[in-house]
Amino acid sequence: MNSKKICGTLVALAALVAFDGTAGAQQSSSGQGVKQDAKAVGHGIGNGARDIGHATKHVAVSVGHGAKEAGVGIGHGAKKAGIAVGHGARDGWNATRHAVKHVFHKDD
């Protein structure tokens, strides 16, 4: 469940409990029902906030791991590219040296 759905659910729950609490308070003269309803709303909001925190942590960990994997992939790709450039340069040098020797008849 994403944070938008959780926040919407919390707001709806808080409004419902608050409305129910005020309606109950109007019908009965006791303030105890209002206190219990407020306590229930507080627990609901706290639980929702905890769920949002856990979801945020999960997203942050996922993003962090993805960034790490991307960085490692880029690093390994750069290493492979560097090795390939080095091998290409060596092969080019060998080909150039061989051509020069061939032109000046140095390999006889």
Side-chain angles (χ1 to χ4, degrees):
M1 183 181 269
N2 65 21
S3 62
K4 287 183 181 180
K5 289 181 182 179
I6 292 171
C7 286
T9 304
L10 287 175
V11 170
L13 176 66
L16 180 64
V17 171
F19 177 74
D20 187 40
T22 57
Q26 290 174 356
Q27 291 176 358
S28 70
S29 61
S30 135
Q32 190 65 27
V34 173
K35 289 179 185 178
Q36 289 174 348
D37 290 343
K39 183 177 177 182
V41 169
H43 284 297
I45 291 172
N47 290 340
R50 184 187 65 236
D51 291 343
I52 291 171
H54 287 180
T56 303
K57 176 190 172 209
H58 177 71
V59 169
V61 167
S62 296
V63 168
H65 287 174
K68 175 191 169 212
E69 290 173 10
V72 168
I74 291 169
H76 288 174
K79 176 185 172 191
K80 289 179 182 179
I83 289 171
V85 167
H87 287 197
R90 185 183 62 220
D91 291 345
W93 169 251
N94 289 340
T96 303
R97 187 177 53 172
H98 177 70
V100 168
K101 285 183 178 182
H102 187 349
V103 167
F104 291 107
H105 305 289
K106 297 284 185 180
D107 54 356
D108 292 333

